[in-house]
Amino acid sequence: MRIAVVGATGQTGRLLIERLHKLGGQAVAVSRSGKSVEGAVDAAAADVVTGVGLDAALEGCDVLVDVVNTQKLVDLRVFSLGARNVIAAAERVGIKRAVMLSAVGVEQSQYPYHRKKLEQERLYRESSLDTTIVRATEYHSFITSFFENGSAMGAIPVFLGARFQPVAPEEVADLLATTVMNDLGDSEIAGPRVWVSRDLAKAWQQSSRARGLIVNGPFPPKLLEFFRSGANLSDTALQGAVSFQEWLQRQSRHS
């Protein structure tokens, strides 16, 4: 099976390609840079926003996996315009099946990032592609990114009143790969424990030995509202096995 992984050079893309390779899949690493990724049989440069290169990148593939993400919160076109371009290219070259990664609870959020993810889901659902959506709670690495960035300035920001059920990105990649290779249906995956934001910060600080005062962060109101609502949690999702502390220990060993 030849699988186009769009967003291949991101965290999820790299992990997914490694796992597809182990399961016997032939992954094509599709990214704007066109850089090769370990485990991929080929790499292709394509820009999802402009559409340039997409037809050539997807040609000959059996399945499309969209794990595109962005850190540019002022420009979220990769989820809307990007999805339209990827879907159109897939349809032109004859791909019939797609798997996309989304986030738990996006339909209950007013935060722009989540609204665009929901739009991305809708575009795939309304296309001719047989689409499977895998939703995940926040990654352990998403949580620690705030702590790391803040610690550099002497303050470790937390989401006041918010709870998280963080999951290991490696386990999300495992589920995506299994979904692709076994033609599974929609699913959700969450971490093994629900945490208060401040407790996550304490655990990270103890593990990393980082200095800094734990403070309530100045986060966007709509994002804070979403995390306070509990819509980002799930008691019906598949449960990951890797706890936040265990993941921190693994990161420490690899650093």
Side-chain angles (χ1 to χ4, degrees):
M1 184 187 299
R2 192 171 174 88
I3 305 143
V5 177
V6 183
T9 56
Q11 180 181 29
T12 304
R14 289 181 179 277
L15 292 170
L16 172 58
I17 287 173
E18 290 177 7
R19 283 149 178 79
L20 288 172
H21 175 69
K22 291 177 181 178
L23 293 175
Q26 295 182 316
V28 177
V30 182
S31 66
R32 190 168 58 178
S33 67
K35 290 181 179 178
S36 61
V37 174
E38 185 175 352
V41 297
D42 201 357
D47 189 319
V48 300
V49 173
T50 65
V52 174
L54 281 173
D55 286 47
L58 303 185
E59 184 69 48
C61 291
D62 304 296
V63 184
L64 157 70
V65 186
D66 190 337
V67 291
V68 166
N69 199 13
T70 181
Q71 302 299 320
K72 298 178 181 178
L73 299 182
V74 296
D75 185 2
L76 299 169
R77 291 178 297 166
V78 293
F79 299 133
S80 51
L81 180 57
R84 289 187 177 92
N85 287 333
V86 172
I87 290 165
E91 291 173 336
R92 284 193 296 269
V93 303
I95 292 177
K96 303 298 184 185
R97 183 168 158 246
V99 177
M100 69 155 284
L101 176 63
S102 191
V104 167
V106 289
E107 74 281 2
Q108 299 182 59
S109 177
Q110 295 302 313
Y111 187 56
Y113 178 96
H114 294 135
R115 301 309 297 171
K116 286 297 183 181
K117 287 298 293 182
L118 188 62
E119 181 180 355
Q120 183 188 29
E121 289 188 7
R122 178 184 60 79
L123 289 167
Y124 271 95
R125 291 292 196 207
E126 293 177 354
S127 74
S128 67
L129 303 176
D130 179 10
T131 298
T132 299
I133 296 176
V134 175
R135 285 181 165 188
T137 54
E138 288 70 39
Y139 287 1
H140 294 317
S141 52
F142 170 84
I143 302 295
T144 60
S145 66
F146 293 100
F147 303 155
E148 290 166 355
N149 292 336
S151 176
M153 297 180 286
I156 302 170
V158 298
F159 290 83
L160 178 63
R163 295 178 298 157
F164 295 93
Q165 195 174 357
V167 65
E170 295 83 357
E171 292 186 295
V172 177
D174 286 337
L175 177 57
L176 283 166
T178 302
T179 299
V180 171
M181 298 302 293
N182 295 284
D183 199 8
L184 303 181
D186 294 350
S187 61
E188 292 188 344
I189 183 169
R193 175 181 167 184
V194 175
W195 291 74
V196 174
S197 182
R198 185 170 292 269
D199 289 341
L200 287 165
K202 291 177 180 177
W204 174 81
Q205 189 173 38
Q206 182 178 11
S207 173
S208 66
R209 296 185 174 86
R211 295 183 178 181
L213 182 67
I214 296 176
V215 299
N216 296 327
F219 298 107
K222 290 180 179 179
L223 181 61
L224 185 57
E225 179 184 351
F226 173 65
F227 289 145
R228 283 176 170 172
S229 74
N232 60 318
L233 312 176
S234 178
D235 57 7
T236 59
L238 298 169
Q239 192 173 90
V242 180
S243 69
F244 185 65
Q245 300 103 315
E246 183 180 350
W247 185 83
L248 288 174
Q249 290 170 0
R250 291 181 181 181
Q251 297 305 114
S252 179
R253 287 197 296 267
H254 295 152
S255 63

